[in-house]
Amino acid sequence: MEQEKNKNFIESSIEKDIQEKKYGDRIHTRFPPEPNGYLHIGHAKSICLNFGIAKKYGGITNLRFDDTNPSKEDTEYVNSIKEDVEWLGFSWDDRMFYASDYFPILYDYAVKLISLGKAYVDDLSGEEIHAYRGTFNEPGKESPYRDRSVEENLRLFQEMKEGKYQDGEKVLRAKIDMASPNLNMRDPVLYRILHASHHRTGNTWCIYPMYDFAHPVSDAIERITHSICTLEFEAHRPLYNWVLKDWEDPEGQKPQQIEFARLNVTHMITSKRKLRALVEKGVVRGWDDPRMPTISGIRRRGYTPASIRDFCERIGVAKADSMVDSALLEYCIREDLKLKVPRIMTVIDPIKVVLVDYPEGKTETLIADNNQENESMGQRKITFSRELYIERQDFMEEPVRKFFRLAPGKEVRLKYAYIIKCERVLKDEQGNIIEIHCTHDPESKSGTGENANRKVKGTLHWVSAADAVDITTRMYDYLLTDNEEDGDKDILEQINPQSLVEYQSKAEAYIKEFKQGNSFQFLRQGYFVIDPDTTSDHIVVNRIVGLRDTWAKMQKK
């Protein structure tokens, strides 16, 4: 009964079709991206849904590129989309297709519609077609070219294909109903002229099908059973069905369109047009910039496929648009990483500490846990010495109330090591602190000293200067200053100026054992990943997410 309750409306619809043998034993879905940009977090939901539904019911899923607009498409985008789908953990096996594979079939079907008197060639310009379309409150006006004979329409459409006309000079339109309450049914354009080289077909074609025509026919050619798409296409469903009315399936089966609510996440931009603008204007470093909500961006940021799948599972499938809190996405990555990755000490914004009573030249080897929540990850050795680094924010010369970190005359414990006390602060000529001089309690060594259990209120992470590794730490925040995009503002006015802050940091020597793409937790700082910008001489890390889990706290209230 609980399992029945947890089904989403798409699963319920599919199970009804299975019971009624609507498609026999077939369940066949597809993921149909346009290769005109990189996929974003919203597409991840669609990928997980289409591939996940098919897997759950023993079906199959096609990857099909809707490459019907050569002016905006590129093989770069095709390759990135393939990589994204595979990274999320899904396979299309040998079922990768392109709408351009079907251009001859699409053309022949358009000819069939013309022959049936259901499509005509129109000479109106794009502006005129828009003006003739009418409004939600007023019916549209029929084109003066609507009643051309079948023979004339066939000739003109053939001439369009042969390249006799310029871009925009003619279009092929469906002949439906200019008074329909659904504006999408008011003689929509099926084909337009576009003299542009296609990334797969070259200059073979100069007419290209519109999405609302190519998509349902491509579904029918591939014998898709359930064409799952986002809610903005709900009003297009009557047109989807109209286009396929005269399609002949070998078993009389035609695909059905089902809509679900698209994924909107706070602080994230999910408009391809706006994301492309950020790339082209240099606001970000590229489509895979870790601040970008593209799948390649969140992959570089350090998010894992399991965390994205978990996120999509948790938000579920709804019929109404809503906004998902980005805190849930952060929670999912923490949940995935917390028992899988080691925890190391790294000082992001370092300030030097000198233990004036510790012998010069002396070092000690201490033992640290790799992950205190997962004992199977074992332990490692760390170096302790006279000179150390701590976080600049862990020291306050004039501490505020309840500041339990290092301050003049105050004591703190260094993780895995000793209790230290601040004795003196050294500053440069501008008054900036350059060193903190401390003493240590030699009997307070963690685990062994007589005062090992002596209590102090603060415990700090640290790195020994003796073998510290210089790294660059990129601290990423959200691109948007507000929770949601403001449609009335230029997107550039909504960009968070602090979305990226870089630090020259100090890490313990253990970090040199990690490779590009490896993740870990910096104690007290958050989860990080080694960035592709890393070289043999210098390590660059990205913060994936902080440790503060606002989502978990919200659920406890």
Side-chain angles (χ1 to χ4, degrees), residues 192-472:
R192 81 285 203 194
I193 301 170
L194 186 60
H195 292 272
S197 181
H198 190 280
H199 70 102
R200 294 189 72 245
T201 61
N203 296 315
T204 302
W205 295 86
C206 62
I207 57 170
Y208 292 93
M210 303 298 290
Y211 177 87
D212 279 336
F213 180 68
H215 185 69
V217 177
S218 298
D219 282 349
I221 293 169
E222 295 174 14
R223 305 200 72 228
I224 300 301
T225 57
H226 299 84
S227 184
I228 304 170
C229 59
T230 47
L231 202 60
E232 66 255 39
F233 291 102
E234 183 176 29
H236 296 247
R237 194 196 320 153
L239 178 55
Y240 183 98
N241 295 333
W242 182 92
V243 167
L244 295 182
K245 188 173 182 181
D246 296 290
W247 181 263
E248 296 179 9
D249 182 85
E251 297 179 34
Q253 300 172 351
K254 297 176 185 178
Q256 60 177 309
Q257 178 176 301
I258 305 177
E259 307 87 15
F260 68 96
R262 62 174 290 169
L263 174 58
N264 299 299
V265 185
T266 58
H267 298 289
M268 290 191 176
I269 305 164
T270 53
S271 160
K272 269 189 184 180
R273 177 181 56 82
K274 292 180 180 179
L275 292 175
R276 185 183 296 108
L278 296 180
V279 174
E280 293 174 350
K281 294 180 180 180
V283 177
V284 294
R285 297 176 176 176
W287 287 97
D288 68 341
D289 188 301
R291 292 168 291 179
M292 292 279 275
T294 56
I295 297 178
S296 57
I298 59 180
R299 178 167 64 244
R300 184 169 181 174
R301 175 81 172 254
Y303 279 81
T304 62
S307 68
I308 302 301
R309 294 195 301 268
D310 181 32
F311 174 65
C312 292
E313 180 69 25
R314 287 174 184 272
I315 60 178
V317 180
K319 290 184 178 181
D321 282 332
S322 62
M323 184 67 67
V324 179
D325 196 320
S326 54
L328 174 57
L329 180 57
E330 294 179 351
Y331 169 81
C332 291
I333 186 63
R334 290 189 194 95
E335 285 296 293
D336 186 43
L337 293 180
K338 68 180 182 181
L339 298 180
K340 293 180 180 178
V341 301
R343 301 175 181 182
I344 68 177
M345 294 197 290
T346 299
V347 178
I348 292 174
D349 186 12
I351 187 170
K352 182 175 280 190
V353 170
V354 179
L355 303 180
V356 294
D357 61 341
Y358 194 89
E360 291 189 30
K362 177 183 176 181
T363 61
E364 293 180 64
T365 299
L366 307 178
I367 301 300
D369 297 316
N370 283 332
N371 189 322
Q372 289 176 302
E373 293 186 60
N374 185 355
E375 294 182 358
S376 67
M377 295 189 70
Q379 297 178 315
R380 69 186 184 282
K381 295 178 180 180
I382 56 176
T383 300
F384 187 85
S385 62
R386 175 185 171 91
E387 295 186 356
L388 313 164
Y389 295 103
I390 66 168
E391 292 288 351
R392 191 171 300 274
Q393 67 178 10
D394 282 340
F395 177 79
M396 188 173 287
E397 195 169 12
E398 297 179 3
V400 296
R401 187 171 175 267
K402 293 188 177 181
F403 182 80
F404 298 126
R405 287 165 279 175
L406 193 61
K410 300 293 184 180
E411 289 185 319
V412 295
R413 177 176 289 281
L414 298 179
K415 184 74 172 176
Y416 303 118
Y418 300 96
I419 292 173
I420 65 172
K421 181 180 180 181
C422 176
E423 305 289 353
R424 183 183 173 206
V425 177
L426 272 63
K427 300 180 180 180
D428 60 19
E429 293 179 355
Q430 287 74 41
N432 300 311
I433 298 173
I434 54 174
E435 279 187 7
I436 303 169
H437 285 190
C438 299
T439 55
H440 78 298
D441 177 358
E443 300 302 322
S444 63
K445 186 177 179 181
S446 294
T448 59
E450 291 183 10
N451 294 334
N453 295 322
R454 183 158 73 85
K455 301 296 183 183
V456 289
K457 288 188 175 179
T459 299
L460 307 184
H461 65 280
W462 52 276
V463 171
S464 168
D467 60 355
V469 177
D470 291 324
I471 68 170
T472 295

Side-chain angles (χ1 to χ4, degrees), residues 5 15 33 62 82 86 90 222 242 267-268 292 316 365 486 492 497 502 523 531 543:
K5 191 188 300 182
E15 291 191 8
N62 293 359
K82 289 161 59 178
E86 289 179 320
F90 300 105
E222 295 174 14
W242 182 92
H267 298 289
M268 290 191 176
M292 292 279 275
T365 299
D486 185 342
L492 300 182
E502 286 193 356
L523 283 183
D531 187 79
R543 185 175 71 168

Side-chain angles (χ1 to χ4, degrees), residues 493-505:
E493 297 178 17
Q494 303 173 61
I495 298 300
N496 175 11
Q498 297 298 311
S499 61
L500 169 60
V501 180
E502 286 193 356
Y503 293 92
Q504 298 310 307
S505 309

Side-chain angles (χ1 to χ4, degrees), residues 127-191:
E127 293 79 9
E128 289 171 327
I129 290 174
H130 181 76
Y132 275 51
R133 193 183 189 196
T135 66
F136 287 107
N137 300 317
E138 297 178 355
K141 186 168 64 171
E142 292 184 354
S143 166
Y145 306 99
R146 195 174 193 265
D147 295 324
R148 277 173 164 158
S149 68
V150 168
E151 293 72 22
E152 184 180 7
N153 283 317
L154 289 172
R155 176 180 60 79
L156 291 172
F157 191 48
Q158 175 68 27
E159 290 175 351
M160 287 170 60
K161 176 177 179 289
E162 293 171 352
K164 292 188 176 181
Y165 304 106
Q166 299 300 310
D167 293 359
E169 192 172 345
K170 296 183 188 298
V171 294
L172 180 70
R173 297 178 68 180
K175 186 185 288 188
I176 308 179
D177 180 5
M178 290 302 293
S180 172
N182 185 336
L183 268 66
N184 295 296
M185 300 296 282
R186 295 182 185 177
D187 290 11
V189 175
L190 303 182
Y191 265 88

